[in-house]
Amino acid sequence: MSEAPLEKYSAEEWNHIRKRFFNSILNDTEIAKLGQNVGVSWPFKGAGETASKYIEYDFEELKSVPGLIGKPRRIRILMDILRETLAFDDPFSDMVDTVESESEEDDTFERILAKLEIPPSYPSEFVHFAAGTRELLKNEDITTLIEIIHFGQKIARNVVVGGDLKTFLNGLAHKDEVGIAKHLPYRRSIRGLHLAEAIGLIARDLPEAAQLHLLQQAETSLTDEEKTVLSKASDLNIEAAIKAAVEQVAKVSEWFTAEASDLKQTFSTGGSPERYFIMINDPRRERMALQLAKLQIGINDSKKTGFLGKLFGR
């Protein structure tokens, strides 16, 4: 069967692809890997074989790029891979030929959440974003995870979604467990949301000095540079940050009631709470999460000194 002529893949379409990929977080992903995701094979591999290598050229210039000279089929494959990737990278893209009615409900993400065992009703205040994104969602009176997703879908029809909201939506669309776990307390390879990871995310988002203070209280060795950072930090700022984090732990524990009860029982029966947090798979974050859990539950530790000791002994 003869191949479709290259002219079928017009300069206009290539320019459209280029424009969309300039703002794509997949711009620097290997094309071979993108091809695997969409079921199309790309003949070249390597860190330099990314979309960013090709989108700097217009349609005519593309024909003169090494590896593509006299190879119209490769140009077709390249465009196929990038076009199909955009359909995943931006599920709301106007590159999709079918025009959906505004009133039609797109349940793509609902199905993804169900497969990953993530509850759509998970409170939006527990989804971790940068301050600007959190403020935007708050101003829109968004209260649940699914509302965040629908809001992202809605604004993506009219503007380019940027920042961590776009990253989050892309991670969900690709079922990227690593990316999802940056925003949700998702337990990779096991699925679902869990309290240990939720506390771990709260610890991760603490200011550096507050993190170092928790690590010090957990008897974790600090580098000389970290000790300097901690020595120069304000105790009042550290105390305020940790108190706010403990309040967050208390709130999120009300969502994970069963797991919170199990954790509290582990402390009260002399178990090994350290093992509870091992699923975070980040030793330092595990130790910080454990310290926050102790503070929230009110475990008294006579070894603790300073304001954190006072918090433990409340």
Side-chain angles (χ1 to χ4, degrees):
M1 183 174 64
S2 61
E3 297 180 352
L6 184 57
E7 286 70 22
K8 174 186 175 184
Y9 298 77
S10 67
E12 182 180 357
E13 182 177 6
W14 173 243
N15 287 336
H16 197 108
I17 291 173
R18 292 174 67 201
K19 180 180 178 181
R20 299 304 294 265
F21 249 96
F22 278 126
N23 294 316
S24 173
I25 63 171
L26 300 177
N27 196 8
D28 294 317
T29 302
E30 288 184 37
I31 294 176
K33 293 181 179 179
L34 297 179
Q36 290 176 0
N37 289 335
V38 300
V40 180
S41 177
W42 181 245
F44 308 119
K45 294 184 180 180
E49 279 296 317
T50 65
S52 60
K53 172 183 175 180
Y54 296 98
I55 61 175
E56 62 178 290
Y57 302 104
D58 65 28
F59 192 62
E60 290 302 317
E61 292 171 337
L62 197 63
K63 301 174 185 178
S64 301
V65 174
L68 302 183
I69 299 173
K71 302 286 185 180
R73 183 171 182 274
R74 287 182 182 173
I75 296 177
R76 286 193 291 269
I77 292 173
L78 173 65
M79 293 179 67
D80 285 343
I81 291 174
L82 298 188
R83 184 180 60 250
E84 291 301 315
T85 297
L86 284 171
F88 284 100
D89 180 40
D90 184 358
F92 338 109
S93 171
D94 60 2
M95 293 184 68
V96 178
D97 293 332
T98 56
V99 179
E100 296 181 345
S101 168
E102 289 287 334
S103 63
E104 289 180 342
E105 190 71 27
D106 181 2
D107 66 348
T108 301
F109 281 102
E110 281 85 346
R111 288 185 279 109
I112 291 174
L113 293 178
K115 184 173 183 179
L116 298 176
E117 299 178 21
I118 297 175
S121 59
Y122 189 66
S124 60
E125 64 178 308
F126 302 150
V127 184
H128 290 255
F129 290 116
T133 304
R134 293 199 307 270
E135 186 66 23
L136 173 63
L137 298 175
K138 182 179 179 180
N139 291 340
E140 294 293 327
D141 294 323
I142 290 172
T143 60
T144 65
L145 171 59
I146 197 62
E147 288 177 3
I148 292 175
I149 293 171
H150 288 165
F151 174 68
Q153 288 177 291
K154 178 181 177 181
I155 65 174
R157 293 191 184 103
N158 304 308
V159 299
V160 176
V161 181
D164 51 358
L165 179 55
K166 178 181 175 66
T167 302
F168 174 61
L169 294 175
N170 284 332
L172 280 176
H174 287 277
K175 303 182 187 67
D176 173 14
E177 294 189 325
V178 174
I180 292 169
K182 292 179 181 179
H183 303 277
L184 290 170
Y186 181 77
R187 186 163 292 177
R188 285 176 281 170
S189 302
I190 297 178
R191 300 182 181 180
L193 305 183
H194 299 273
L195 178 60
E197 285 83 349
I199 300 176
L201 286 174
I202 293 171
R204 182 203 66 185
D205 288 350
L206 279 168
E208 181 182 13
Q211 292 189 23
L212 293 175
H213 194 99
L214 289 176
L215 288 171
Q216 186 180 68
Q217 294 299 309
E219 300 181 350
T220 301
S221 297
L222 303 180
T223 66
D224 290 339
E225 183 179 353
E226 289 173 334
K227 291 177 182 177
T228 300
V229 170
L230 188 55
S231 67
K232 294 181 178 180
S234 162
D235 284 350
L236 289 177
N237 290 342
I238 293 175
E239 180 179 6
I242 292 178
K243 281 186 174 180
V246 171
E247 290 174 0
Q248 285 183 284
V249 172
K251 287 182 179 180
V252 81
S253 295
E254 293 177 0
W255 172 267
F256 296 99
T257 52
E259 292 189 25
S261 177
D262 290 343
L263 177 58
K264 190 171 184 178
Q265 185 175 15
T266 300
F267 279 114
S268 63
T269 58
S272 301
E274 296 84 0
R275 295 185 60 82
Y276 184 86
F277 294 97
I278 201 169
M279 295 303 295
I280 295 176
N281 197 31
D282 180 329
R284 281 195 155 200
R285 198 187 299 179
E286 291 166 21
R287 295 186 184 110
M288 291 189 293
L290 176 58
Q291 295 304 309
L292 288 178
K294 285 182 177 180
L295 285 168
Q296 192 275 317
I297 293 174
I299 303 299
N300 189 9
D301 191 332
S302 59
K303 294 186 296 182
K304 306 304 176 188
T305 59
F307 68 79
L308 196 55
K310 295 176 183 179
L311 286 176
F312 267 106
R314 67 187 175 200

